[in-house]
Amino acid sequence: MTPTSVPAPQQQLLEQAAADLLDPQGRALAAAVQWWELPGWPETWPVAVLGQGPPLLLLHGFDSSHLEFRRLAPLLLDRHQLF
């Protein structure tokens, strides 16, 4: 899976939402979003990617977002590449 071209309407929506975030950790996490094509899915998906090291997949629950990890991510990104 690799990043692909950004769908303009979705990227604009993400950028507008990120600009309204008061938490700097939330803004940094929103800025790390890449748009990926996933095998078997017709549309692209937003995936936050940051850090270096062995990969670590963080999954949020239903009715939640990647921003749930805004305080955890800084503690892990020195040792892992977070997805």
Side-chain angles (χ1 to χ4, degrees):
M1 293 175 278
T2 57
T4 187
S5 61
V6 177
Q10 290 131 321
Q11 183 63 28
Q12 281 183 322
L13 183 62
L14 176 66
E15 289 172 2
Q16 287 173 335
D20 291 337
L21 293 173
L22 299 178
D23 184 348
Q25 290 173 321
R27 284 194 307 270
L29 196 52
V33 170
Q34 301 174 1
W35 295 90
W36 285 21
E37 289 183 9
L38 301 177
W41 293 86
E43 64 272 343
T44 57
W45 290 85
V47 178
V49 181
L50 58 158
Q52 294 182 352
L56 181 61
L57 178 63
L58 303 175
L59 295 174
H60 61 77
F62 177 74
D63 197 27
S64 183
S65 79
H66 68 288
L67 295 177
E68 298 292 333
F69 300 111
R70 69 188 179 279
R71 290 186 172 69
L72 179 62
L75 302 174
L76 297 172
L77 57 82
D78 286 344
R79 297 178 306 227
H80 295 280
Q81 184 174 27
L82 307 177
F83 296 91

